[in-house]
Amino acid sequence: NVLTQSPGTLSLSPGERATLSCRASQSVTNNYLAWHQQRPGQAPRLLIYGASSRATGIPDRFSGSGSGTDFTLTISRLEPGDSAVYYCQHYGTSLAFGGGTKVEIK
Amino acid sequence: EVQLLESGGGLAQPGGSLRLSCAASGFTFSTYAMYWVRQAPGKGLEWVSALSVSGGNIYYADSVKGRFTISRDNSKNTLYLEMNGLRAEDTAVYYCAKSGGAYAHMWYFDHWGQGTLVTVSS
């Protein structure tokens, strides 16, 4: 299952909303889709699993939605610390990552 | 607190070998599948290998199949990656990651180590 993320880069101001897309080449079984955040120079961190469940300690500014082949990560009220690359990940029958979306805070 | 600490990275020659280790703590290691994920310089994440709780289910990305071997020692809470036949394209930061579900393999990763850099160059 190939995951395609868009856009490649998103440049927004603090307080704005970011909408990131992850499209799968085949339907994702049981919405087994996760999102990870990777800040510059750091290891990735799990944000969302099961398409919409927030991981422990993740603020509610981060939300996931979608089903089938189209999934979205929304970051409301952007903060400077949200500057990062965001990756979607398919799991269940196989493992794969999308190419990532870079979010820049102006 | 879950902690994953990778070690063993460094410089290797093309065709050479390295063995990575990942020391785990803060959870019951023997009840979670474990993974290796890598990231080439300036590139995205690439899943490398997965290993079930018992070691009976092992998975590799096509790019490393036949060259890399994943294993675990549940008595030492440690995950390993034996890398042979190294190529320049194996140059990357290698991350150890923990499964988000007990006994579930091919799952999402809920904790990541800080990574260890492997450089393959003559």
Side-chain angles (χ1 to χ4, degrees):
Chain A
N1 206 343
V2 177
L3 301 179
T4 301
Q5 292 188 240
S6 62
T9 303
L10 207 49
S11 185
L12 296 167
S13 298
E16 289 191 305
R17 173 190 297 256
T19 303
L20 287 65
S21 172
C22 176
R23 179 161 291 178
S25 60
Q26 301 173 48
S27 185
V28 175
T29 306
N30 295 329
N31 290 340
Y32 285 161
L33 195 287
W35 290 92
H36 300 268
Q37 175 195 62
Q38 187 177 33
R39 291 172 172 145
Q42 295 188 15
R45 173 177 74 146
L46 175 69
L47 296 176
I48 301 286
Y49 63 94
S52 60
S53 297
R54 269 186 300 277
T56 303
I58 301 303
D60 60 8
R61 298 186 299 104
F62 293 88
S63 62
S65 62
S67 63
T69 60
D70 291 303
F71 297 87
T72 300
L73 175 70
T74 301
I75 313 171
S76 62
R77 306 183 307 277
L78 279 167
E79 298 180 357
D82 297 334
S83 290
V85 180
Y86 294 82
Y87 296 93
C88 57
Q89 179 216 339
H90 162 64
Y91 58 97
T93 54
S94 62
L95 297 172
F97 289 99
T101 291
K102 183 177 183 179
V103 173
E104 298 177 338
I105 310 298
K106 295 177 184 175
Chain B
E1 179 192 3
V2 171
Q3 292 195 0
L4 301 170
L5 185 61
E6 302 94 337
S7 61
L11 178 64
Q13 291 196 336
S17 301
L18 279 177
R19 188 195 199 201
L20 305 184
S21 299
C22 171
S25 61
F27 65 101
T28 306
F29 181 77
S30 60
T31 61
Y32 288 90
M34 297 293 294
Y35 311 90
W36 289 100
V37 178
R38 69 184 180 184
Q39 186 171 37
K43 303 296 184 182
L45 301 172
E46 179 189 17
W47 162 73
V48 172
S49 186
L51 181 61
S52 65
V53 164
S54 65
N57 297 90
I58 300 176
Y59 308 89
Y60 297 101
D62 287 343
S63 57
V64 306
K65 201 171 292 183
R67 300 187 298 122
F68 289 12
T69 301
I70 191 173
S71 62
R72 65 192 295 161
D73 186 336
N74 287 340
S75 68
K76 295 183 178 179
N77 290 348
T78 302
L79 177 73
Y80 303 100
L81 186 67
E82 186 78 37
M83 303 187 295
N84 298 314
L86 284 165
R87 306 166 180 167
E89 54 265 34
D90 295 319
T91 294
V93 173
Y94 284 73
Y95 295 101
C96 162
K98 169 186 168 291
S99 174
Y103 299 102
H105 47 276
M106 304 305 271
W107 214 238
Y108 62 89
F109 315 133
D110 71 345
H111 288 86
W112 299 71
Q114 285 303 303
T116 186
L117 177 62
V118 171
T119 302
V120 183
S121 174
S122 55

Coordinates of all heavy atoms in Angstrom, one line a residue, chain A residues 32 34 36 38 41-46 48-50 87 89-99, chain B residues 35 37-39 43-47 49-50 59 95 100 105-115:
Chain A
Y32 N -6.4 1.5 9.9 CA -5.1 1.3 10.5 C -4.1 2.3 10.0 O -3.2 2.0 9.2 CB -4.6 -0.1 10.4 CG -5.3 -1.2 11.2 CD1 -5.2 -2.5 10.9 CD2 -6.0 -0.8 12.4 CE1 -5.8 -3.5 11.6 CE2 -6.6 -1.8 13.1 CZ -6.5 -3.1 12.8 OH -7.2 -4.1 13.5
A34 N -1.7 5.7 11.2 CA -1.1 6.5 12.2 C -0.4 7.7 11.7 O 0.0 7.8 10.5 CB -0.1 5.7 13.0
H36 N 2.9 10.5 12.7 CA 4.0 10.8 13.5 C 4.6 12.1 13.2 O 4.5 12.6 12.1 CB 5.2 9.7 13.3 CG 4.8 8.3 13.5 ND1 4.9 7.7 14.8 CD2 4.2 7.4 12.7 CE1 4.5 6.4 14.7 NE2 4.0 6.2 13.5
Q38 N 8.0 14.6 13.5 CA 9.4 14.6 13.7 C 10.0 16.0 13.6 O 10.0 16.7 12.5 CB 10.2 13.8 12.6 CG 11.7 13.6 12.9 CD 12.4 12.7 11.9 OE1 12.1 12.7 10.8 NE2 13.4 12.0 12.4
G41 N 16.1 17.5 14.1 CA 17.1 16.9 14.9 C 16.6 15.9 16.0 O 17.4 15.5 16.8
Q42 N 15.3 15.6 15.9 CA 14.7 14.7 16.9 C 14.2 13.4 16.3 O 14.0 13.3 15.1 CB 13.6 15.4 17.7 CG 14.0 16.6 18.5 CD 12.9 17.1 19.4 OE1 11.9 16.5 19.6 NE2 13.1 18.3 19.9
A43 N 14.0 12.4 17.2 CA 13.3 11.2 16.7 C 11.8 11.5 16.5 O 11.3 12.4 17.0 CB 13.5 10.1 17.8
P44 N 11.2 10.6 15.7 CA 9.7 10.8 15.5 C 9.0 10.5 16.8 O 9.5 9.9 17.7 CB 9.4 9.7 14.4 CG 10.7 9.4 13.8 CD 11.7 9.6 14.8
R45 N 7.7 11.0 16.8 CA 6.9 10.9 18.0 C 5.5 10.5 17.5 O 5.0 11.2 16.6 CB 6.8 12.1 18.8 CG 5.9 12.2 19.9 CD 5.9 13.4 20.8 NE 5.4 14.6 20.1 CZ 4.7 15.6 20.7 NH1 4.6 15.5 22.1 NH2 4.3 16.7 20.1
L46 N 4.8 9.5 18.1 CA 3.5 9.2 17.7 C 2.5 10.2 18.1 O 2.5 10.7 19.2 CB 3.1 7.8 18.3 CG 1.6 7.4 18.1 CD1 1.4 7.0 16.6 CD2 1.3 6.2 19.0
I48 N -1.1 10.2 16.4 CA -2.4 9.6 16.1 C -2.3 8.2 15.7 O -1.4 7.8 15.0 CB -3.1 10.4 15.0 CG1 -3.3 11.9 15.4 CG2 -4.5 9.8 14.7 CD1 -4.3 12.2 16.4
Y49 N -3.2 7.3 16.2 CA -3.3 5.9 15.7 C -4.8 5.6 15.4 O -5.6 6.3 15.9 CB -2.6 5.0 16.7 CG -3.3 4.9 18.0 CD1 -4.3 4.0 18.3 CD2 -3.0 5.8 19.0 CE1 -4.9 3.9 19.5 CE2 -3.6 5.8 20.2 CZ -4.6 4.9 20.5 OH -5.2 4.8 21.7
G50 N -5.0 4.6 14.7 CA -6.4 4.2 14.4 C -7.1 5.4 13.6 O -8.3 5.5 13.8
Y87 N 4.6 12.5 9.2 CA 4.5 11.3 8.4 C 3.2 10.5 8.8 O 2.9 10.3 9.9 CB 5.7 10.4 8.7 CG 7.0 11.0 8.3 CD1 7.8 11.6 9.2 CD2 7.5 10.8 7.0 CE1 9.1 12.2 8.8 CE2 8.7 11.3 6.6 CZ 9.5 12.0 7.5 OH 10.7 12.5 7.1
Q89 N 1.5 6.7 8.5 CA 2.0 5.3 8.5 C 0.9 4.3 8.5 O -0.1 4.4 9.3 CB 2.8 5.0 9.8 CG 3.4 3.6 9.9 CD 3.3 3.0 11.3 OE1 3.3 3.7 12.3 NE2 3.4 1.7 11.4
H90 N 0.9 3.4 7.5 CA -0.1 2.3 7.4 C 0.4 1.1 8.2 O 1.6 0.9 8.2 CB -0.2 2.0 5.9 CG -0.9 0.6 5.7 ND1 -2.2 0.3 6.1 CD2 -0.4 -0.5 5.2 CE1 -2.4 -0.9 5.8 NE2 -1.4 -1.5 5.2
Y91 N -0.5 0.4 8.9 CA -0.1 -0.8 9.6 C -1.2 -1.9 9.5 O -2.2 -1.6 8.9 CB 0.3 -0.5 11.0 CG -0.8 0.2 11.8 CD1 -1.6 -0.6 12.7 CD2 -1.0 1.5 11.8 CE1 -2.7 0.0 13.4 CE2 -2.0 2.1 12.5 CZ -2.8 1.4 13.3 OH -3.8 2.0 14.1
G92 N -0.9 -3.0 10.0 CA -1.9 -4.1 10.0 C -1.4 -5.3 9.2 O -0.8 -6.2 9.7
T93 N -1.6 -5.2 7.9 CA -1.1 -6.3 7.0 C 0.3 -6.1 6.5 O 1.0 -7.0 6.1 CB -2.1 -6.5 5.8 OG1 -2.2 -5.3 5.2 CG2 -3.4 -7.0 6.3
S94 N 0.7 -4.8 6.5 CA 2.0 -4.4 6.1 C 2.3 -3.1 6.7 O 1.5 -2.5 7.4 CB 2.1 -4.4 4.6 OG 1.3 -3.4 4.1
L95 N 3.6 -2.7 6.6 CA 4.0 -1.4 7.1 C 4.5 -0.5 6.0 O 5.2 -1.0 5.1 CB 5.1 -1.7 8.1 CG 4.8 -2.5 9.4 CD1 6.1 -2.8 10.2 CD2 3.8 -1.8 10.2
A96 N 4.2 0.8 6.1 CA 4.7 1.7 5.1 C 4.5 3.1 5.7 O 3.6 3.4 6.4 CB 3.9 1.6 3.8
F97 N 5.4 4.0 5.2 CA 5.3 5.4 5.6 C 5.0 6.2 4.3 O 5.4 5.9 3.2 CB 6.6 5.9 6.1 CG 6.9 5.4 7.5 CD1 7.8 4.4 7.7 CD2 6.4 6.0 8.6 CE1 8.1 3.9 9.0 CE2 6.7 5.6 9.9 CZ 7.5 4.5 10.1
G98 N 4.3 7.4 4.5 CA 4.2 8.3 3.5 C 5.5 9.1 3.4 O 6.4 9.0 4.3
G99 N 5.6 10.0 2.4 CA 6.9 10.7 2.2 C 7.0 11.9 3.1 O 8.1 12.5 3.1
Chain B
Y35 N 10.7 -3.1 16.2 CA 11.0 -2.8 14.9 C 12.3 -2.0 14.7 O 12.7 -1.3 15.7 CB 9.9 -1.9 14.3 CG 8.5 -2.4 14.6 CD1 7.8 -2.0 15.7 CD2 7.9 -3.2 13.6 CE1 6.5 -2.5 15.9 CE2 6.6 -3.7 13.9 CZ 5.9 -3.4 15.0 OH 4.7 -3.9 15.3
V37 N 13.6 1.0 12.1 CA 13.2 2.0 11.0 C 14.4 2.9 10.7 O 15.2 3.2 11.7 CB 12.0 2.9 11.5 CG1 11.7 3.9 10.4 CG2 10.8 2.0 11.9
R38 N 14.7 3.2 9.5 CA 15.8 4.0 9.2 C 15.5 5.3 8.4 O 14.4 5.4 7.8 CB 16.9 3.2 8.4 CG 16.5 2.9 7.0 CD 17.6 2.0 6.3 NE 17.2 1.6 5.0 CZ 18.0 0.8 4.2 NH1 19.1 0.3 4.7 NH2 17.6 0.5 3.0
Q39 N 16.4 6.2 8.4 CA 16.2 7.5 7.8 C 17.5 8.0 7.2 O 18.4 8.3 7.9 CB 15.6 8.6 8.8 CG 15.3 9.9 8.1 CD 14.5 10.8 9.1 OE1 14.9 10.8 10.3 NE2 13.6 11.5 8.6
K43 N 16.2 12.5 4.1 CA 15.1 11.7 3.5 C 14.0 11.4 4.5 O 14.1 11.7 5.7 CB 15.7 10.4 2.8 CG 16.7 10.7 1.8 CD 16.2 11.5 0.6 CE 17.2 11.6 -0.5 NZ 16.7 12.4 -1.6
G44 N 13.0 10.6 4.1 CA 11.9 10.3 4.9 C 12.2 9.0 5.7 O 13.3 8.4 5.6
L45 N 11.2 8.5 6.4 CA 11.3 7.3 7.2 C 11.1 6.0 6.3 O 10.2 6.0 5.4 CB 10.3 7.3 8.3 CG 10.4 8.5 9.3 CD1 9.2 8.5 10.2 CD2 11.7 8.4 10.1
E46 N 11.9 5.0 6.6 CA 11.7 3.7 5.9 C 11.7 2.6 6.9 O 12.7 2.4 7.6 CB 12.9 3.5 4.9 CG 12.8 2.2 4.1 CD 14.1 1.9 3.3 OE1 15.1 2.5 3.5 OE2 14.0 1.0 2.4
W47 N 10.7 1.8 6.9 CA 10.6 0.6 7.7 C 11.6 -0.4 7.2 O 11.7 -0.7 6.1 CB 9.2 0.1 7.7 CG 9.1 -1.3 8.2 CD1 9.2 -1.8 9.5 CD2 9.0 -2.5 7.4 NE1 9.1 -3.1 9.5 CE2 9.0 -3.6 8.3 CE3 8.8 -2.7 6.0 CZ2 8.8 -4.9 7.8 CZ3 8.6 -4.0 5.6 CH2 8.6 -5.1 6.5
S49 N 12.6 -3.6 9.4 CA 12.4 -5.0 9.9 C 11.5 -4.9 11.1 O 11.4 -4.0 11.8 CB 13.7 -5.6 10.3 OG 13.5 -7.0 10.6
A50 N 10.7 -6.1 11.2 CA 9.8 -6.2 12.4 C 10.0 -7.6 12.9 O 10.3 -8.6 12.2 CB 8.4 -6.0 11.9
Y59 N 9.8 -10.0 9.6 CA 9.6 -9.3 8.4 C 10.7 -8.4 8.0 O 11.3 -7.8 8.9 CB 8.3 -8.5 8.5 CG 7.1 -9.3 9.0 CD1 6.8 -9.3 10.4 CD2 6.2 -9.9 8.1 CE1 5.8 -10.1 10.8 CE2 5.1 -10.6 8.6 CZ 4.9 -10.7 9.9 OH 3.8 -11.4 10.4
Y95 N 16.6 3.8 13.8 CA 15.8 3.9 15.0 C 15.2 2.5 15.4 O 14.7 1.8 14.5 CB 14.6 4.8 14.7 CG 14.9 6.3 14.5 CD1 14.9 6.8 13.2 CD2 15.3 7.1 15.5 CE1 15.2 8.1 12.9 CE2 15.6 8.5 15.3 CZ 15.5 9.0 14.0 OH 15.8 10.3 13.7
G100 N 2.7 -0.5 19.3 CA 1.7 0.2 20.2 C 0.7 -0.8 20.7 O -0.1 -0.4 21.5
H105 N 2.0 -7.7 16.0 CA 3.1 -7.3 15.1 C 2.6 -6.6 13.9 O 1.4 -6.6 13.7 CB 4.0 -8.5 14.7 CG 3.2 -9.7 14.2 ND1 2.7 -10.6 15.1 CD2 2.9 -10.2 13.0 CE1 2.1 -11.6 14.4 NE2 2.2 -11.3 13.2
M106 N 3.4 -6.0 13.0 CA 2.9 -5.2 11.9 C 2.0 -4.1 12.4 O 0.8 -4.0 11.9 CB 2.3 -6.0 10.8 CG 3.2 -7.1 10.3 SD 4.8 -6.5 9.7 CE 4.4 -6.2 8.0
W107 N 2.4 -3.4 13.4 CA 1.5 -2.4 14.1 C 2.0 -1.0 14.0 O 3.1 -0.8 13.5 CB 1.3 -2.9 15.5 CG -0.1 -2.6 16.1 CD1 -0.4 -1.9 17.2 CD2 -1.3 -3.1 15.6 NE1 -1.7 -1.9 17.4 CE2 -2.4 -2.6 16.4 CE3 -1.7 -3.8 14.5 CZ2 -3.7 -2.8 16.2 CZ3 -3.1 -4.1 14.2 CH2 -4.0 -3.6 15.1
Y108 N 1.4 -0.1 14.6 CA 2.0 1.3 14.7 C 3.0 1.3 15.8 O 3.1 0.5 16.6 CB 0.9 2.3 14.9 CG 0.2 2.2 16.2 CD1 0.6 2.9 17.3 CD2 -1.0 1.5 16.3 CE1 0.0 2.8 18.5 CE2 -1.7 1.4 17.5 CZ -1.2 2.0 18.6 OH -1.9 1.9 19.8
F109 N 3.9 2.3 15.7 CA 5.0 2.5 16.6 C 4.7 3.6 17.6 O 4.5 4.7 17.3 CB 6.3 2.9 15.9 CG 6.5 2.1 14.6 CD1 6.9 2.8 13.4 CD2 6.4 0.8 14.5 CE1 7.1 2.1 12.2 CE2 6.6 0.1 13.4 CZ 7.0 0.8 12.2
D110 N 4.6 3.2 18.9 CA 4.2 4.2 19.9 C 5.4 4.8 20.7 O 5.2 5.8 21.4 CB 3.2 3.6 20.8 CG 3.7 2.6 21.8 OD1 4.8 2.1 21.6 OD2 3.0 2.3 22.8
H111 N 6.6 4.2 20.6 CA 7.7 4.8 21.1 C 8.9 4.6 20.2 O 9.0 3.5 19.6 CB 8.0 4.3 22.5 CG 7.1 4.8 23.6 ND1 5.9 4.1 23.8 CD2 7.1 5.8 24.4 CE1 5.2 4.7 24.8 NE2 5.9 5.8 25.2
W112 N 9.8 5.6 20.2 CA 11.0 5.5 19.3 C 12.2 5.8 20.1 O 12.2 6.6 21.1 CB 10.9 6.6 18.2 CG 9.8 6.5 17.3 CD1 8.5 6.8 17.5 CD2 9.9 6.2 15.9 NE1 7.7 6.6 16.4 CE2 8.6 6.3 15.3 CE3 10.9 5.9 15.0 CZ2 8.3 6.1 14.0 CZ3 10.7 5.7 13.7 CH2 9.3 5.7 13.2
G113 N 13.4 5.2 19.8 CA 14.6 5.6 20.3 C 15.2 6.8 19.7 O 14.5 7.4 18.8
Q114 N 16.3 7.3 20.1 CA 16.9 8.5 19.6 C 17.7 8.2 18.3 O 18.1 9.1 17.6 CB 17.8 9.2 20.6 CG 17.0 9.9 21.7 CD 16.1 10.9 21.0 OE1 16.5 11.8 20.3 NE2 14.8 10.8 21.3
G115 N 18.0 7.0 18.0 CA 18.7 6.6 16.8 C 20.2 6.5 16.9 O 20.8 7.0 17.8

